[in-house]
Amino acid sequence: MTGIQPAGSVASEPALRIMAILNVTPDSFSDGGRYSDPQKAAEAALRLVDDGADIIDVGGESTRPGAEPVSTDQELGRVIPVIEAIRARIAAPISIDTRKPEVARLAIAAGASIWNDVSALTCSAESPDLAARLGCDVVLMHAQGDPQTMQRAPSYSDVVGEVHDFLEARVTACLAAGIARERIYVDPGIGFGKTLEHNLALLRALPRFKAIAPVLLGASRKRFIAGLDRDVAPTDRIGGSIAAALAGAAAGVAVVRVHDVAETRQALAVWSAISPMQRSQ
Ligand code: HH2
């Protein structure tokens, strides 16, 4: 089963991978309501791969600030038919963006190979053991609070230190549960219980998180971009999203999770052709 790492890669620092966001939700903050039909979702996934996506991240529950939780059955009803339709047409790795072990288990049975969990496998005590048994890649993301309340009053005494220590502790717990080290990715969780200043501090500190595990960065179209540019709507945040992806590339992250795949791929191609660090590798 293929996970985040390209099959057969032996490079010491593998190329940056693009994870494309495919939300099958009615209410996601940027692309909600577009892909509820499985065949339409599979066609969108094909286009995303054509555009340069290495991984398709399927999500059935919005985690935008204030989002209402959905039941396991509702989430399964959204994501499983979509994963099956994508798997039938596309070889690229599929990731399931869920906090629920039952959704992850059935998504992986349907053809996903990566469990992307915004709760860092803390939502259920059984999640780390299950991930170890499934043998999937895992993305452990930091969040302060849950989506319903997380943006009310985010507070840290040292945001970078606290996120770092949380991610390190989650990696330790996952290793203890039997998840292989090379299957673990960490993510500082941009926008999940963070103010603009917290997000900027974390973006500046990306190289520190790399010391824990390969890093996934999800900054695409997020609110902090509007905080820096006239409160623009999510669909007008592509320039800011690309700037954040390039900052991630310069910091050596392993994966960027994005809505705008073609634009990000082009920016990364130009940046890596120019960057002296990339060319000397
Ligand atoms: N952000 C969102 C959802 N899942 N997973 C990881 N690992 N990192 C992220 O930053 C991340 C994530 C939220 O963005 P989106 O999926 O576009 O919106 P929504 O939660 O409203 O569906």
Side-chain angles (χ1 to χ4, degrees):
M1 203 178 285
T2 323
I4 292 178
Q5 191 88 349
S9 165
V10 290
S12 55
E13 184 131 17
L16 175 54
R17 322 280 289 157
I18 297 179
M19 174 185 271
I21 299 167
L22 191 75
N23 282 318
V24 285
T25 49
D27 58 343
S28 284
F29 80 94
S30 179
D31 60 351
R34 286 176 65 189
Y35 307 123
S36 42
D37 172 64
Q39 290 315 321
K40 278 202 185 129
E43 276 153 31
L46 268 174
R47 282 195 300 276
L48 291 167
V49 169
D50 265 3
D51 285 348
D54 301 295
I55 302 158
I56 306 291
D57 188 39
V58 177
E61 177 182 51
S62 174
T63 48
R64 76 183 152 71
E68 289 292 325
V70 298
S71 72
T72 302
D73 283 348
Q74 256 178 315
E75 202 176 327
L76 285 171
R78 290 175 183 174
V79 298
I80 300 300
V82 168
I83 291 172
E84 287 170 347
I86 297 175
R87 182 71 310 145
R89 296 175 66 176
I90 293 167
I94 300 169
S95 132
I96 174 68
D97 184 352
T98 188
R99 295 180 285 177
K100 299 187 183 77
E102 186 63 1
V103 175
R105 188 177 69 77
L106 292 172
I108 283 165
S113 57
I114 302 159
W115 182 354
N116 174 24
D117 186 348
V118 300
S119 81
L121 305 184
T122 64
C123 198
S124 159
E126 66 168 291
S127 294
D129 289 343
L130 174 65
R133 277 203 307 282
L134 292 171
C136 57
D137 286 2
V138 296
V139 180
L140 307 174
M141 198 200 79
H142 175 273
Q144 188 179 80
D146 58 36
Q148 277 192 300
T149 57
M150 64 190 183
Q151 286 307 110
R152 283 190 195 155
S155 154
Y156 303 82
S157 52
D158 164 16
V159 66
V160 172
E162 287 172 43
V163 171
H164 176 278
D165 292 353
F166 170 84
L167 293 174
E168 199 171 54
R170 292 312 300 153
V171 170
T172 303
C174 288
L175 291 171
I179 302 175
R181 185 176 281 281
E182 64 272 17
R183 297 214 169 273
I184 302 177
Y185 291 74
V186 294
D187 179 342
I190 300 300
F192 283 81
K194 280 113 188 168
T195 63
L196 171 60
E197 284 312 321
H198 295 145
N199 288 315
L200 294 176
L202 292 169
L203 286 163
R204 290 185 197 111
L206 289 172
R208 262 190 80 182
F209 301 118
K210 255 177 35 176
I212 307 172
V215 174
L216 182 147
L217 176 64
S220 185
R221 298 193 186 182
K222 287 201 173 156
R223 177 86 191 80
F224 79 96
I225 298 169
L228 295 168
D229 181 27
R230 299 168 299 163
D231 219 12
V232 293
T235 46
D236 292 328
R237 298 176 191 165
I238 300 176
S241 304
I242 289 174
L246 294 182
V253 305
V255 186
V256 283
R257 179 181 182 276
V258 305
H259 298 86
D260 305 291
V261 171
E263 294 84 349
T264 307
R265 189 212 61 229
Q266 185 181 79
L268 289 170
V270 172
W271 174 82
S272 64
I274 297 167
S275 162
M277 204 172 66
Q278 292 294 306
R279 292 185 64 80
S280 64
Q281 274 176 4

